[in-house]
Amino acid sequence: MQEGDLERVIAIAASLGDAPQWRRSAYEDAIAVDGSPRRIALVAELAAQIAGFSVASVVVGLAELESIAVVESAQRCGIGAALLRATMREVRSFGAQEMVLEVRASNIGAAALYAKAGFGVVGRRPGYYSNPVEDAILLGLTLSDS
């Protein structure tokens, strides 16, 4: 992800009810080379257009997938899975041995994507999300070197 990608990334997030609605400054922080914590911010393109993105942070061997989103018209085409795999590779290159994330309890599509990648349920945060109020399911995965 680069500065010139941010308008499209923000538009994708705004178009999706389940995506975090971050301010532009949060995305700017995610692409800052000297930011702390260390972040990985990726985009996926389809037909020369940004169709999805991911943002993850890495702190002392633990990666957190902070956001992953794919434009609705390109969902269920493998873009989310490709972004997730690429993000997992990148966080491993920064020393992450584990990856965690949270997902809305009702987001069946995302939960299936994570389960297919090997993530397992490690907890629940009641009432974590708003609009509507909903629980977050906490997922985790030990990252392998392969």
Side-chain angles (χ1 to χ4, degrees):
M1 189 182 298
Q2 301 173 13
E3 179 82 25
D5 300 332
L6 297 186
E7 291 305 317
R8 178 69 177 145
V9 164
I10 292 166
I12 290 170
S15 75
L16 301 170
D18 289 334
Q21 303 302 308
W22 293 357
R23 294 174 193 233
R24 181 183 178 91
S25 61
Y27 290 105
E28 290 169 345
D29 290 345
I31 62 174
V33 291
D34 59 351
S36 180
R38 174 69 176 123
R39 287 211 166 100
I40 289 82
L42 305 175
V43 294
E45 292 185 355
L46 181 66
Q49 292 284 339
I50 294 174
F53 67 91
S54 66
V55 178
S57 60
V58 179
V59 177
V60 192
L62 179 66
E64 179 183 357
L65 182 64
E66 297 177 293
S67 185
I68 186 167
V70 175
V71 68
E72 193 169 358
S73 62
Q75 290 179 359
R76 314 252 181 317
C77 297
I79 294 171
L83 270 168
L84 183 57
R85 285 191 305 271
T87 303
M88 291 165 64
R89 276 193 308 272
E90 288 293 316
V91 298
R92 273 196 306 269
S93 76
F94 285 96
Q97 297 138 4
E98 255 186 287
M99 188 172 213
V100 296
L101 61 94
E102 66 247 343
V103 62
R104 280 183 179 270
S106 66
N107 194 338
I108 305 301
L113 170 71
Y114 301 134
K116 189 173 180 180
F119 284 84
V121 175
V122 296
R124 186 178 198 99
R125 289 189 176 135
Y128 180 79
Y129 291 106
S130 59
N131 297 328
V133 173
E134 189 171 357
D135 291 357
I137 306 300
L138 305 174
L139 303 174
L141 174 69
T142 299
L143 299 170
S144 67
D145 291 330
S146 58

